[in-house]
Amino acid sequence: MSRVYNFSAGPAVLPEEVLREAAEEMLDYKGSGMSVMEMSHRSKVYDGIIKAAEADLRELMDIPDNYKVLFLQGGASQQFAMIPMNLMKNKKAAYIVTGQWAKKAYQEAQNYGEAVKVASSEDETFSYIPDCSDLDIPEDADYVYICENNTIYGTKYKTLPNTKGHTLVADVSSCFLSEPVDVSKYGIIYGGVQKNIGPAGVVIVIIREDLITEDTLPGTPTMLKYKTHADAGSLYNTPPAYGIYICGKVFQWLKKQGGLAAMKQRNEEKAKILYDFLDGSKMFRGTVRKEDRSLMNVPFITGDQDLDAKFVKEAEAAGFVNLKGHRTVGGMRASIYNAMPKEGVEQLVAFMKKFEAENQ
């Protein structure tokens, strides 16, 4: 069985050499006589794995010293509650709703205080990013929340919102490590790793130290306090040990590729191949305002549901899998994360051209 081109939005494609390396080490990690899957998270060997992973991530993202890196569980969705529990000192926060995940975070925050929707693109099915240069942010808002890349709708903030001095919190699950980022602009930058970094089960939270306090909302569980995990170096309880080990391998792979500046260039080249085709096609078209297009997730449609279904089916038979759009929007979506090779996108476009010619 040869490997397919996997365009899944997550869990998603991983670098082949990372998978091969993990396979080689499956039964015996570096002479330890056991798999990382079987290893105590308190062991010296594992301590080396998690510390190296953090060091490599810090180097890749150039994370300032006054930020903690936490390897947690519960996915991005658990952060929807954890963030207000830890940050809502004034019981008020501003949310910019640009897709389903930002909307869910906004709804969850209402359990803990006043969540104020300061901008939204729901009026046009989240197909654009609203102008965030002069938002009406409440003076006493504890933070401003965004989902920076919208996996379902294929939009991406090209400019961060003007938060007017308030702490910025960003979910970057689907654009994590796809381009260089200035961490100092954020109070918290976090994401589930199953889209662009590793296997499902790990969420990475990069948080400025002054936001880590004992002063959380009453009733906040011990496990949902950032301080609990920061003080214990992500080892308060058994972490998702094997997932972190794979993430660490991906960090090393990214360094070998030339780091995040090199990845951004590659991702722009890949996305251009697909967007250029969509812009010139008579059958297929993209659904996102051009200036807000994501480099990672590319939704497109034919305008005919039956034709969409036929395309997805024939694409799968040809080895291009997981192209069906999210159930809330239909159509198709190609997720072209870091690990998707350029040739995967070129082959997809060649297949789309052929399909278009055969179905005119």
Side-chain angles (χ1 to χ4, degrees):
M1 169 71 187
S2 62
R3 279 172 65 75
V4 294
Y5 287 118
N6 178 10
F7 292 95
S8 169
V13 59
L14 283 165
E16 206 165 303
E17 70 182 75
V18 166
L19 297 175
R20 289 186 193 285
E21 212 175 278
E24 278 163 27
E25 293 173 350
M26 179 54 86
L27 293 175
D28 178 11
Y29 177 75
K30 298 194 170 167
S32 66
M34 57 182 151
S35 171
V36 175
M37 225 178 254
E38 310 169 286
M39 198 176 277
S40 165
H41 61 296
R42 305 280 178 210
S43 67
K44 203 170 171 176
V45 184
Y46 191 75
D47 194 55
I49 291 172
I50 193 169
K51 284 200 166 76
E54 178 177 336
D56 287 336
L57 180 61
R58 283 187 174 277
E59 186 185 327
L60 277 168
M61 292 181 75
D62 198 13
I63 298 173
D65 291 342
N66 65 323
Y67 283 74
K68 290 273 194 218
V69 173
L70 309 176
F71 295 101
L72 306 177
Q73 295 172 84
S77 297
Q78 185 153 287
Q79 292 304 308
F80 300 167
M82 203 162 167
I83 287 157
M85 281 176 164
N86 285 266
L87 264 55
M88 258 195 187
K89 316 291 186 201
N90 298 325
K91 292 285 194 78
K92 192 178 284 186
Y95 280 72
I96 301 169
V97 179
T98 52
Q100 185 158 314
W101 304 112
K103 188 177 179 177
K104 285 188 171 180
Y106 162 70
Q107 288 166 338
E108 186 74 14
Q110 291 167 17
N111 294 324
Y112 303 100
E114 189 188 343
V116 183
K117 193 192 291 184
V118 292
S120 169
S121 54
E122 197 162 7
D123 61 331
E124 289 178 33
T125 327
F126 300 125
S127 58
Y128 70 100
I129 298 290
D131 176 5
C132 299
S133 58
D134 186 22
L135 299 173
D136 189 12
I137 298 165
E139 275 295 306
D140 57 346
D142 292 299
Y143 57 87
V144 176
Y145 183 100
I146 62 170
C147 180
E148 199 162 316
N149 186 87
N150 296 283
T151 324
I152 295 173
Y153 301 96
T155 58
K156 165 82 164 67
Y157 286 79
K158 302 295 161 74
T159 310
L160 292 175
N162 172 9
T163 64
K164 302 185 175 174
H166 297 82
T167 298
L168 179 64
V169 175
D171 173 355
V172 296
S173 294
S174 51
C175 59
F176 224 154
L177 301 182
S178 62
E179 56 181 49
V181 54
D182 181 355
V183 175
S184 68
K185 289 182 173 170
Y186 305 81
I188 294 179
I189 180 169
Y190 81 91
V193 304
Q194 72 278 8
K195 298 174 183 296
N196 211 21
I197 302 174
V202 186
V203 58
I204 297 173
V205 175
I206 300 160
I207 176 169
R208 211 173 57 225
E209 285 176 348
D210 61 288
L211 298 173
I212 304 171
T213 64
E214 282 287 10
D215 178 25
T216 55
L217 294 187
T220 300
T222 304
M223 276 291 288
L224 296 186
K225 294 178 179 175
Y226 291 122
K227 192 167 183 358
T228 301
H229 301 284
D231 288 353
S234 298
L235 295 167
Y236 172 76
N237 68 325
T238 310
Y242 194 80
I244 293 167
Y245 152 77
I246 300 288
C247 292
K249 287 204 174 301
V250 172
F251 300 155
Q252 287 168 359
W253 177 79
L254 286 167
K255 282 168 66 174
K256 244 191 299 189
Q257 306 305 308
L260 301 191
M263 290 318 295
K264 182 181 187 195
Q265 193 181 340
R266 275 172 54 174
N267 288 327
E268 285 174 341
E269 281 169 16
K270 283 190 306 193
K272 187 177 190 309
I273 294 164
L274 186 46
Y275 284 126
D276 282 356
F277 168 71
L278 289 171
D279 289 343
S281 168
K282 290 193 167 58
M283 176 180 283
F284 297 99
R285 63 179 181 85
T287 56
V288 172
R289 193 164 74 180
K290 280 187 185 179
E291 57 268 35
D292 299 325
R293 285 171 166 175
S294 166
L295 294 179
M296 297 283 101
N297 312 98
V298 184
F300 56 97
I301 55 172
T302 63
D304 177 329
Q305 288 187 341
D306 294 337
L307 200 56
D308 285 354
K310 185 182 184 198
F311 172 79
V312 169
K313 192 178 173 190
E314 289 184 14
E316 184 154 352
F320 305 99
V321 305
N322 294 315
L323 281 165
K324 192 170 190 244
H326 191 274
R327 61 183 181 278
T328 57
V329 287
M332 285 74 69
R333 170 182 52 180
S335 293
I336 48 175
Y337 298 124
N338 285 340
M340 172 58 67
K342 184 176 172 184
E343 70 176 40
V345 182
E346 290 169 340
Q347 302 266 350
L348 174 64
V349 166
F351 175 80
M352 289 168 79
K353 282 179 179 163
K354 180 170 164 282
F355 183 89
E356 183 166 340
E358 289 169 358
N359 292 273
Q360 280 295 24

